[in-house]
Amino acid sequence: MPPSPIRKLVPYAEAAKKKGTKVYHLNIGQPDIETPAPILDAVRHFDFKVLEYSHSAGNESYRRKLVEYYGKVGVDIQYNQIIVTTGGSEAILFAMMACLDAGDEVIIPEPFYANYNGFAVEAGVKVVPITSDIRSGFALPPLDSFEAAITPRTKAILLCNPNNPTGYLYSREEMETLKSIALRHNLYLFSDEAYREFCYTGTHTSALHLQGADDRIILMDTISKRYSACGGRIGALLTRNQQVLDSVMKFAQARLSPPSFAQIAGEAAVDLPDNYFDTTRAEYQSRRDLIVSRLNHMPGVYCPNPGGAFYAMAELPVDDTDTFCQWLLESFTHQGQTVMLAPASGFYGTPGLGRKEVRLAYVLNKADLSKAMDCLEKALEAYPGKI
Amino acid sequence: MPPSPIRKLVPYAEAAKKKGTKVYHLNIGQPDIETPAPILDAVRHFDFKVLEYSHSAGNESYRRKLVEYYGKVGVDIQYNQIIVTTGGSEAILFAMMACLDAGDEVIIPEPFYANYNGFAVEAGVKVVPITSDIRSGFALPPLDSFEAAITPRTKAILLCNPNNPTGYLYSREEMETLKSIALRHNLYLFSDEAYREFCYTGTHTSALHLQGADDRIILMDTISKRYSACGGRIGALLTRNQQVLDSVMKFAQARLSPPSFAQIAGEAAVDLPDNYFDTTRAEYQSRRDLIVSRLNHMPGVYCPNPGGAFYAMAELPVDDTDTFCQWLLESFTHQGQTVMLAPASGFYGTPGLGRKEVRLAYVLNKADLSKAMDCLEKALEAYPGKI
């Protein structure tokens, strides 16, 4: 089991804080946006006397409510095609365990969300990375790369759209390409759509918008980022494939039920006003604009403009971002402050890639983001390993 | 992945209810006891504005509080030797994944909690059952049975104490025997102590009371039954083995964090008055006395007196309890009522065992339990497959 690459610098950050340094955390995707009050109020006003197990697939009332939510984003689904999970994490694990046998392979464009590795280890599945390029903004790798990677053990392609860590928003055409590969080679298409609402350039294409591949498509979802409700641990797995639903239900039954309190939160969230995401989206977009502009004005830094999510990847003029990010915490301060970034090496499956890249999560307000960018700018001037 | 044997009769129960039959549910361990008000109130009064990820090992404040709780039950543990999990379920899964490789074997006295099978499949681990006997009240199988079952792939023994499904409370001597086997063969001892407080005959010996085997012992725990808080999905894994803690933390980090709201519930639970369990224990004990007495007064029925938990196993004078339990739901009513039981076959790993046994969870009030026993008594007279 690999350790979390995002968390391996945590001891250095703790040491920096103990020395009195202010650390701007751009390393993790914990949004600072407040959880909408109606969601928290719904939890405060629960009215049961016994905190019972819910249905293993989640409360029926919540699943029926989710049908409404998905209808609003153009996804036609029935309540019994939804299995509520303990976070998006469990949806990913269930998809791998239900659809792949030990030793089977899943193709994932890299860089990718590092915890996919962990779930793959748990499911006994081999991750086969195919590389996307910062110079193309991390667009979908060409069809050839997929065809070259497919073996008799390949059972699925996993995509995160919009992407963590790259922020890339896949186009309708790219999604259709993936569908055609899935159909041609009889693969599952696992679609992680945690950041669906956060699209700034273009519109979101859900895998469940695609026609004619119902038995191939598994959607993995979560309320964590959508409503700043990460601690609830509520996600969902959706598919129109009955056989997969039946198999996932066995895993769901083994762990009895998803958490009850946060299902109340999720159910209330669907009733938020339709303009709720406008404010959040505008806030994230202005943050994105700020950091992308600042980054591209720093000498030697390259940062493609991400179309969605709340992450940006940047190439830095340094020898190695693992060393650089540790140095930022151990040996650098600017006016008593420093910045914590996620070195990109942990997001690549191919050894040696991403050594000059970092991921930045723009989950702080703009004043703090500005100060964090000041730190980074000064650090790049001072770093002994700059190139 | 095997389906849940406890839930396979659910469609028949639903059909019975649609016909207007009242069904007494003795088939699942969902307590009817109210969740203590201080626990629910603590959740109602949470004061955060962002529902953030907690620490992957659980909130430090909760883990420090758990040290207090374990101190009260004579278990000396440090807060950083506790990893808060999503229910006891996740603690079991983490223990198997962290301590065993795919293909390794875990010995479990049968009958055992059926979901151990599911977690073993997820972890790629083989369950090796050794049989305990209803005629001895399901005491620990003799040492010979363990020795005969141990192979080079054996890595752990898993015990639930007091036991689900048998209600058996293992003695200090039996626990010492297990420790000596674990030490002699370098095995882990996984101890599931979900029902610790519910002991009626004798006192509870925690695996962490045992001396001189710190690196062998993993305790799996949950607040579900202890405080009637099943829907919270909060459990814990405890061990003094640092290497295992490090490994479990990787799995914990991959899934980010346990649910936040229910950690508040768990933390408040530790401050319940010391006599909280007295009432609950007395209630369960009087229910146990009622059903054990009723069962043993039915012709041909044998039910050993369980020392703990809230389950009893009974041998019935029928051809096959799978058939009988289905018949109870499909073809039998007494005054418009029937009873749902769990056939024991699903709790045995050895094919063919438990065919005449059922598990009864005494999670209803005594008036309802009496009526359920009336139903069972009449049903045993009317059942065509009686022997």
mmCIF file of all heavy atoms in Angstrom, chain A residues 35 40 69 180 200 223 231 260 266-267 276-277 357 377:
data_model
loop_
_atom_site.group_PDB
_atom_site.id
_atom_site.type_symbol
_atom_site.label_atom_id
_atom_site.label_comp_id
_atom_site.label_asym_id
_atom_site.label_seq_id
_atom_site.Cartn_x
_atom_site.Cartn_y
_atom_site.Cartn_z
ATOM 1 N N THR A 35 -19.967 25.528 4.318
ATOM 2 C CA THR A 35 -21.027 24.583 3.975
ATOM 3 C C THR A 35 -22.350 25.350 4.031
ATOM 4 O O THR A 35 -22.607 26.063 5.004
ATOM 5 C CB THR A 35 -21.043 23.425 4.987
ATOM 6 O OG1 THR A 35 -19.703 22.951 5.172
ATOM 7 C CG2 THR A 35 -21.918 22.288 4.509
ATOM 8 N N LEU A 40 -26.484 22.338 6.919
ATOM 9 C CA LEU A 40 -26.105 22.116 8.314
ATOM 10 C C LEU A 40 -27.341 22.168 9.213
ATOM 11 O O LEU A 40 -27.465 21.378 10.160
ATOM 12 C CB LEU A 40 -25.065 23.158 8.751
ATOM 13 C CG LEU A 40 -23.724 23.087 7.998
ATOM 14 C CD1 LEU A 40 -22.773 24.172 8.498
ATOM 15 C CD2 LEU A 40 -23.064 21.712 8.158
ATOM 16 N N TYR A 69 -31.838 15.811 -8.417
ATOM 17 C CA TYR A 69 -30.569 16.502 -8.652
ATOM 18 C C TYR A 69 -29.986 16.121 -10.013
ATOM 19 O O TYR A 69 -29.593 16.984 -10.803
ATOM 20 C CB TYR A 69 -29.562 16.199 -7.535
ATOM 21 C CG TYR A 69 -28.153 16.526 -7.943
ATOM 22 C CD1 TYR A 69 -27.719 17.856 -7.993
ATOM 23 C CD2 TYR A 69 -27.273 15.530 -8.368
ATOM 24 C CE1 TYR A 69 -26.443 18.171 -8.437
ATOM 25 C CE2 TYR A 69 -26.007 15.842 -8.802
ATOM 26 C CZ TYR A 69 -25.588 17.157 -8.840
ATOM 27 O OH TYR A 69 -24.330 17.472 -9.312
ATOM 28 N N SER A 180 -16.421 5.284 -27.322
ATOM 29 C CA SER A 180 -16.195 4.375 -28.452
ATOM 30 C C SER A 180 -15.103 3.356 -28.132
ATOM 31 O O SER A 180 -15.200 2.187 -28.508
ATOM 32 C CB SER A 180 -15.878 5.160 -29.733
ATOM 33 O OG SER A 180 -14.644 5.831 -29.582
ATOM 34 N N TYR A 200 -15.444 26.386 -15.769
ATOM 35 C CA TYR A 200 -15.312 27.817 -16.046
ATOM 36 C C TYR A 200 -15.203 28.092 -17.527
ATOM 37 O O TYR A 200 -15.525 29.160 -18.008
ATOM 38 C CB TYR A 200 -14.093 28.373 -15.304
ATOM 39 C CG TYR A 200 -13.987 27.798 -13.900
ATOM 40 C CD1 TYR A 200 -12.934 26.965 -13.539
ATOM 41 C CD2 TYR A 200 -15.001 28.047 -12.960
ATOM 42 C CE1 TYR A 200 -12.875 26.411 -12.263
ATOM 43 C CE2 TYR A 200 -14.941 27.494 -11.694
ATOM 44 C CZ TYR A 200 -13.872 26.674 -11.350
ATOM 45 O OH TYR A 200 -13.828 26.112 -10.105
ATOM 46 N N ILE A 223 -20.646 14.431 -2.457
ATOM 47 C CA ILE A 223 -21.112 15.766 -2.091
ATOM 48 C C ILE A 223 -19.971 16.622 -1.531
ATOM 49 O O ILE A 223 -20.158 17.801 -1.238
ATOM 50 C CB ILE A 223 -22.262 15.719 -1.048
ATOM 51 C CG1 ILE A 223 -21.782 15.201 0.322
ATOM 52 C CG2 ILE A 223 -23.417 14.870 -1.548
ATOM 53 C CD1 ILE A 223 -22.788 15.442 1.456
ATOM 54 N N GLY A 231 -16.396 16.380 5.182
ATOM 55 C CA GLY A 231 -16.421 15.544 6.381
ATOM 56 C C GLY A 231 -17.664 14.680 6.512
ATOM 57 O O GLY A 231 -17.720 13.801 7.369
ATOM 58 N N SER A 260 -25.537 8.000 8.498
ATOM 59 C CA SER A 260 -26.917 8.505 8.514
ATOM 60 C C SER A 260 -27.007 10.027 8.543
ATOM 61 O O SER A 260 -27.791 10.619 7.808
ATOM 62 C CB SER A 260 -27.663 7.945 9.722
ATOM 63 O OG SER A 260 -27.896 6.574 9.568
ATOM 64 N N GLY A 266 -27.021 15.572 2.591
ATOM 65 C CA GLY A 266 -27.071 15.393 1.137
ATOM 66 C C GLY A 266 -28.466 15.609 0.588
ATOM 67 O O GLY A 266 -28.651 16.206 -0.473
ATOM 68 N N GLU A 267 -29.465 15.126 1.329
ATOM 69 C CA GLU A 267 -30.846 15.266 0.871
ATOM 70 C C GLU A 267 -31.259 16.740 0.865
ATOM 71 O O GLU A 267 -31.908 17.217 -0.071
ATOM 72 C CB GLU A 267 -31.769 14.437 1.768
ATOM 73 C CG GLU A 267 -33.158 14.260 1.208
ATOM 74 C CD GLU A 267 -33.961 13.174 1.938
ATOM 75 O OE1 GLU A 267 -33.365 12.217 2.475
ATOM 76 O OE2 GLU A 267 -35.198 13.296 1.950
ATOM 77 N N TYR A 276 -27.301 28.566 -6.339
ATOM 78 C CA TYR A 276 -26.267 28.355 -5.316
ATOM 79 C C TYR A 276 -24.879 28.239 -5.935
ATOM 80 O O TYR A 276 -23.917 28.847 -5.459
ATOM 81 C CB TYR A 276 -26.550 27.113 -4.469
ATOM 82 C CG TYR A 276 -25.329 26.686 -3.673
ATOM 83 C CD1 TYR A 276 -24.881 27.444 -2.588
ATOM 84 C CD2 TYR A 276 -24.568 25.564 -4.027
ATOM 85 C CE1 TYR A 276 -23.736 27.101 -1.880
ATOM 86 C CE2 TYR A 276 -23.425 25.206 -3.329
ATOM 87 C CZ TYR A 276 -23.016 25.973 -2.258
ATOM 88 O OH TYR A 276 -21.870 25.634 -1.572
ATOM 89 N N PHE A 277 -24.783 27.486 -7.008
ATOM 90 C CA PHE A 277 -23.451 27.235 -7.569
ATOM 91 C C PHE A 277 -22.886 28.464 -8.288
ATOM 92 O O PHE A 277 -21.680 28.551 -8.491
ATOM 93 C CB PHE A 277 -23.475 26.030 -8.514
ATOM 94 C CG PHE A 277 -23.722 24.741 -7.800
ATOM 95 C CD1 PHE A 277 -24.914 24.056 -7.960
ATOM 96 C CD2 PHE A 277 -22.772 24.220 -6.941
ATOM 97 C CE1 PHE A 277 -25.149 22.867 -7.290
ATOM 98 C CE2 PHE A 277 -22.997 23.029 -6.254
ATOM 99 C CZ PHE A 277 -24.196 22.350 -6.430
ATOM 100 N N GLU A 357 6.765 19.593 -11.841
ATOM 101 C CA GLU A 357 5.400 20.111 -11.723
ATOM 102 C C GLU A 357 4.897 20.073 -10.278
ATOM 103 O O GLU A 357 5.309 19.233 -9.489
ATOM 104 C CB GLU A 357 4.452 19.307 -12.632
ATOM 105 C CG GLU A 357 4.810 19.425 -14.118
ATOM 106 C CD GLU A 357 4.071 18.406 -14.985
ATOM 107 O OE1 GLU A 357 3.086 17.792 -14.519
ATOM 108 O OE2 GLU A 357 4.488 18.222 -16.147
ATOM 109 N N GLU A 377 6.776 33.301 -5.497
ATOM 110 C CA GLU A 377 7.623 34.122 -6.380
ATOM 111 C C GLU A 377 8.997 34.355 -5.744
ATOM 112 O O GLU A 377 10.039 34.174 -6.394
ATOM 113 C CB GLU A 377 6.912 35.464 -6.643
ATOM 114 C CG GLU A 377 7.535 36.277 -7.748
ATOM 115 C CD GLU A 377 6.554 37.333 -8.272
ATOM 116 O OE1 GLU A 377 5.693 37.797 -7.488
ATOM 117 O OE2 GLU A 377 6.639 37.655 -9.478
#
